[in-house]
Amino acid sequence: MAAVLIQDLTKEYGTGLVAVKALDNINLAVEKGEFTVLAGPSGSGKTTLLNMIGSLDTPTSGQVLVHEIDIAKIDNRRQADFRRERLGFIFQSYNLIPVLTVFENVEFPLTLLKRFSKDERDEKVHRILAEVGLESLAHRRPGELSGGQQQRVAIARALVKEPAVVLADEPTANLDSVNGEAILDLMKELNQRKKITFIFSSHDRMVIERARRVVRLKDGRIEGDEKRAG
Amino acid sequence: MLIQMALKNVFRNVTRTRITVLAVFWGVFFSMLADGVNKGLEWQIGNLLIRTETSTIKIVNRNYPLDELENPLDYPVREYEPIVGFLAARSDVKAYSPRITFHGSLSNGSDEIRAIGLGIEPEKEDKVFDRSGAISQGKYLVSGEEGVLIGSDLAGLLGLRVGDMVTVISQAAEMGTNAYDLEIKGLIQTGNPVLDSGAFWIPLQFTQDFLSMTGITDIAVNLGNDSRILPFQSEVRKAKFPDKLKVFSWRDYAKDFIELVAFRKRIINILTTMILLIAGFGIMNTMLMAMMERKREIGNLMAMGVRRNEIVRLFLIEGMMIGVLGSTVAIILSCIVVYYFQLQGIPLGGAIQNALGSTPIAGKFYAYLDPVQALFYYILGIVIAVVSTVYPAWKSAKLQPVEAIRGIGGQ
């Protein structure tokens, strides 16, 4: 069973003469535990495709099945529940909540799940912060951290609930090469250890070179799909 | 976590929070102050009337007029002993005073001033109105002794002092004009300008002889509190007395003042509503600004699986916290101010005093702190803050996650 199965997916913005196809008849299957990069230049449809998989946007036609759930066919509330249970997001500009501390930012997805006690949440947050090497900064606010540190917090936040799929939109774009490489190593290591499916968009050559699968997009279409060993 | 986040959001932009809290603060503070002043006016007038002029109720002849221009002597209660017996047997009657109220005048030999004459049984009148406690000079009347008590300001106008003789003049009930010289036993200062500058008190027995009448015109009755007025009125109506009677409450005498207070209350309500509406729009505006600024954050929350109703709740909690903050400070400060003016009073200047005319308020005006009203305004401040947040909250929840994350949409 594919973690993500996309069939005949089209997304158009606008109508009539001004309609623009952001995605054009995409078909894609991502297996569980895969580390996949959506590569392509700006405007190729990478972010739109990630948004479709993340149920943040709705397709014009076609299907997006995540763990066999057709996410376009469920209502807003169930989409929100689906995201809180199954997905983790990492954004280019980190998108941490500025009023919360590092610890609280990472704890937040767990509080939404409402099935963990305070002790369980504390234990999980401490463990993931240790894994991303930020335990000593747990009580800082995001504004007091560097870009690389903030992205580590965002990764910890996305992974703390051990979601089925992590979607990362240009996670290294705002980082220098050293930090970008470190973040990538971290994501890859967590992917291998936790067997979580990673799908991320990037046009960074260093990122593309390290991926086990590269799906190349151009003008909303899949131009190539390359799988690499190991 | 939503509560914790809301609390942190409230303090993330201190200037904006301050403006929003101030909007709630002024709305609640002004409302409480205006209400305290108006309630003070109502309470003071009512209290002064009851304490000095009308007591809780007055039993009178069925045709007795409220109009001050008519002559009360035309509407006597001829046989009042059965009424006195009825009152003496009742446990809810704290005190009563049979009286004759008449239009008269006082003369010092050269000047004559019109005044209200009150024929009283000194002991009974004292139990209802504590007249002896209001003696500013001289002494109170003693039963069986001839003499007159004069309002202190009236005495001043006539240049009279305790021990002087004054001529009491009246249209007798059944005869022509009558006049009699009496010694001034004391001066009375009740705090009610109507009495202090326009009334005198003489013994009932003497008044009856003086006016050539056997009955009285009214009985002032102290019932302790207003709740007994309606049942008492109904019981007097049912009881059989030789004279046909009517019961006026102090509210009947204060009708003009009560209408004035009610009018002021309507004006205050309009002003209060306007101020609170302005406060509400202020809150809505700042919350909309907050929503525009936090669009990415809202999109991010949605991406993490926060439901739309939870976004609404987050904003409403923030609105409620702002309301609680503004309302709490406003209520505490306004209660202190109103309570201070309740204890200390606000001195009335000469111009204000003149403008008040015959309004029974003299010297100082006292505010009144109503705890129930304070609670009402406290809750109202919070409710307005929350209601004003509904639209920004709804607008935030309607954002499309994909647009919100990019910081667009919701225009």
Side-chain angles (χ1 to χ4, degrees):
Chain A
M1 182 189 76
V4 177
L5 183 63
I6 297 168
Q7 292 175 326
D8 306 322
L9 177 66
T10 297
K11 176 67 184 178
E12 278 183 20
Y13 291 108
T15 52
L17 290 173
V18 289
V20 176
K21 269 190 184 169
L23 294 174
D24 187 4
N25 200 31
I26 300 284
N27 286 284
L28 180 70
V30 178
E31 297 304 319
K32 278 184 186 168
E34 262 190 6
F35 195 74
T36 305
V37 175
L38 305 175
S42 293
S44 59
K46 306 185 295 291
T47 301
T48 306
L49 184 53
L50 276 183
N51 287 339
M52 297 290 160
I53 299 168
S55 75
L56 297 177
D57 205 353
T58 48
T60 306
S61 63
Q63 271 190 326
V64 179
L65 296 154
V66 180
H67 281 236
E68 296 186 317
I69 296 169
D70 187 347
I71 51 178
K73 290 219 170 102
I74 56 179
D75 61 24
N76 278 330
R77 187 188 171 92
R78 285 180 61 206
Q79 280 183 351
D81 290 349
F82 168 79
R83 288 193 292 268
R84 84 167 56 175
E85 290 280 348
R86 311 258 180 135
L87 298 182
F89 285 90
I90 301 167
F91 298 99
Q92 179 181 336
S93 48
Y94 330 125
N95 285 10
L96 299 175
I97 297 165
V99 291
L100 301 183
T101 63
V102 165
F103 187 94
E104 289 162 346
N105 263 287
V106 177
E107 187 189 17
F108 188 70
L110 296 176
T111 62
L112 290 176
L113 290 174
K114 290 174 185 159
R115 59 170 173 263
F116 299 109
S117 67
K118 180 65 185 152
D119 287 345
E120 285 171 321
R121 292 203 304 268
D122 284 355
E123 192 265 323
K124 279 176 180 289
V125 174
H126 281 301
R127 191 166 0 121
I128 196 80
L129 283 178
E131 285 183 41
V132 298
L134 286 177
E135 210 174 13
S136 61
L137 304 177
H139 298 292
R140 295 242 182 121
R141 293 276 176 92
E144 298 165 342
L145 305 178
S146 69
Q149 287 169 330
Q150 287 192 52
Q151 197 59 299
R152 281 167 187 270
V153 179
I155 291 169
R157 184 179 65 179
L159 291 173
V160 70
K161 63 185 176 187
E162 299 188 4
V165 179
V166 170
L167 303 168
D169 188 12
E170 307 263 10
T172 58
N174 282 355
L175 304 175
D176 58 43
S177 59
V178 176
N179 270 312
E181 205 164 333
I183 289 292
L184 200 64
D185 286 342
L186 177 65
M187 289 202 294
K188 206 163 178 183
E189 186 211 327
L190 291 169
N191 159 255
Q192 281 168 359
R193 196 146 43 84
K194 295 183 185 283
K195 303 292 176 215
I196 293 170
T197 310
F198 269 76
I199 305 173
F200 54 100
S201 66
S202 184
H203 57 262
D204 183 342
R205 208 165 51 192
M206 183 247 318
V207 175
I208 295 165
E209 278 168 6
R210 290 185 176 220
R212 243 174 287 145
R213 183 179 179 192
V214 180
V215 177
R216 293 185 189 278
L217 291 168
K218 192 179 177 189
D219 299 330
R221 289 171 172 272
I222 293 179
E223 211 180 37
D225 189 351
E226 180 190 346
K227 288 188 181 178
R228 298 164 184 165
Chain B
M1 187 64 106
L2 278 184
I3 293 171
Q4 195 183 346
M5 198 187 293
L7 186 64
K8 290 184 176 189
N9 279 333
V10 165
F11 293 105
R12 74 196 286 179
N13 188 330
V14 177
T15 308
R16 188 164 49 217
T17 298
R18 206 176 287 159
I19 291 168
T20 323
V21 167
L22 267 178
V24 180
F25 172 84
W26 281 118
V28 174
F29 186 78
F30 174 81
S31 305
M32 258 310 280
L33 222 56
D35 185 77
V37 167
N38 207 38
K39 282 243 166 61
L41 191 65
E42 190 177 9
W43 177 82
Q44 202 171 344
I45 289 170
N47 187 45
L48 201 65
L49 274 175
I50 292 169
R51 203 164 45 78
T52 64
E53 209 174 325
T54 63
S55 193
T56 326
I57 56 155
K58 265 189 185 179
I59 301 172
V60 293
N61 183 299
R62 179 189 278 180
N63 300 314
Y64 190 90
L66 265 178
D67 186 350
E68 290 170 3
L69 296 174
E70 285 208 50
N71 184 4
L73 298 181
D74 293 340
Y75 310 97
V77 177
R78 293 181 199 282
E79 293 182 47
Y80 66 96
E81 288 79 8
I83 308 169
V84 167
F86 169 81
L87 294 172
R90 292 184 65 94
S91 60
D92 57 349
V93 173
K94 309 279 179 219
Y96 61 90
S97 173
R99 301 149 24 125
I100 295 174
T101 304
F102 62 100
H103 292 164
S105 53
L106 292 182
S107 172
N108 59 4
S110 56
D111 295 318
E112 185 180 329
I113 295 179
R114 292 181 66 82
I116 298 162
L118 291 152
I120 56 167
E121 290 183 28
E123 283 173 15
K124 286 181 176 159
E125 178 81 356
D126 196 31
K127 279 185 184 160
V128 175
F129 294 108
D130 186 26
R131 298 286 185 218
S132 60
I135 294 290
S136 60
Q137 283 178 47
K139 62 183 182 69
Y140 189 58
L141 289 176
V142 178
S143 291
E145 186 186 48
E146 275 189 8
V148 60
L149 301 173
I150 304 180
S152 55
D153 296 343
L154 180 59
L157 288 170
L158 287 167
L160 295 169
R161 283 185 293 194
V162 174
D164 289 349
M165 297 301 284
V166 63
T167 306
V168 176
I169 304 160
S170 174
Q171 288 285 327
E174 291 168 1
M175 297 176 75
T177 304
N178 202 358
Y180 201 90
D181 287 340
L182 287 170
E183 184 190 344
I184 299 171
K185 297 288 183 187
L187 303 185
I188 282 193
Q189 194 163 23
T190 61
N192 181 341
V194 175
L195 297 180
D196 293 348
S197 62
F200 60 91
W201 291 259
I202 51 180
L204 181 64
Q205 182 84 56
F206 171 79
T207 313
Q208 285 172 329
D209 294 344
F210 177 62
L211 298 172
S212 306
M213 64 183 285
T214 51
I216 56 167
T217 57
D218 54 281
I219 304 178
V221 181
N222 179 1
L223 289 177
N225 63 62
D226 281 10
S227 65
R228 290 297 310 150
I229 293 175
L230 281 177
F232 190 85
Q233 279 175 325
S234 140
E235 283 161 39
V236 169
R237 224 175 289 130
K238 279 185 216 153
K240 301 281 178 214
F241 295 112
D243 290 279
K244 298 211 178 301
L245 303 175
K246 180 161 63 179
V247 177
F248 281 130
S249 83
W250 68 270
R251 289 181 182 279
D252 296 317
Y253 286 93
K255 206 174 159 196
D256 290 346
F257 301 123
I258 287 171
E259 277 173 10
L260 176 73
V261 168
F263 176 72
R264 282 169 52 94
K265 197 170 185 173
R266 278 196 293 276
I267 300 282
I268 287 168
N269 283 346
I270 291 168
L271 282 174
T272 303
T273 308
M274 282 170 66
I275 288 175
L276 290 174
L277 272 178
I278 292 166
F281 277 113
I283 296 165
M284 192 189 293
N285 201 30
T286 46
M287 291 306 273
L288 276 172
M289 277 166 61
M291 170 228 147
M292 297 306 273
E293 277 177 23
R294 281 157 53 189
K295 222 181 277 179
R296 276 175 188 277
E297 202 175 303
I298 294 163
N300 186 32
L301 291 175
M302 286 173 165
M304 282 195 283
V306 174
R307 297 173 190 145
R308 290 183 194 275
N309 67 322
E310 288 168 329
I311 301 278
V312 170
R313 217 185 309 154
L314 176 69
F315 272 81
L316 294 184
I317 292 170
E318 285 177 30
M320 193 177 78
M321 284 174 174
I322 285 168
V324 167
L325 206 63
S327 244
T328 304
V329 177
I331 283 297
I332 290 172
L333 284 183
S334 59
C335 282
I336 290 171
V337 172
V338 172
Y339 191 59
Y340 174 79
F341 287 127
Q342 181 174 324
L343 293 180
Q344 300 297 322
I346 307 161
L348 296 173
I352 299 172
Q353 186 73 68
N354 288 340
L356 286 170
S358 63
T359 306
I361 291 179
K364 275 184 172 181
F365 163 73
Y366 293 88
Y368 179 74
L369 177 61
D370 181 349
V372 176
Q373 202 65 24
L375 182 68
F376 170 76
Y377 282 121
Y378 179 68
I379 293 169
L380 185 67
I382 297 169
V383 168
I384 281 171
V386 173
V387 169
S388 307
T389 318
V390 168
Y391 178 65
W394 174 82
K395 224 167 149 48
S396 303
K398 292 291 279 183
L399 286 170
Q400 291 305 313
V402 69
E403 290 180 345
I405 284 167
R406 290 197 307 234
I408 58 170
Q411 306 298 326

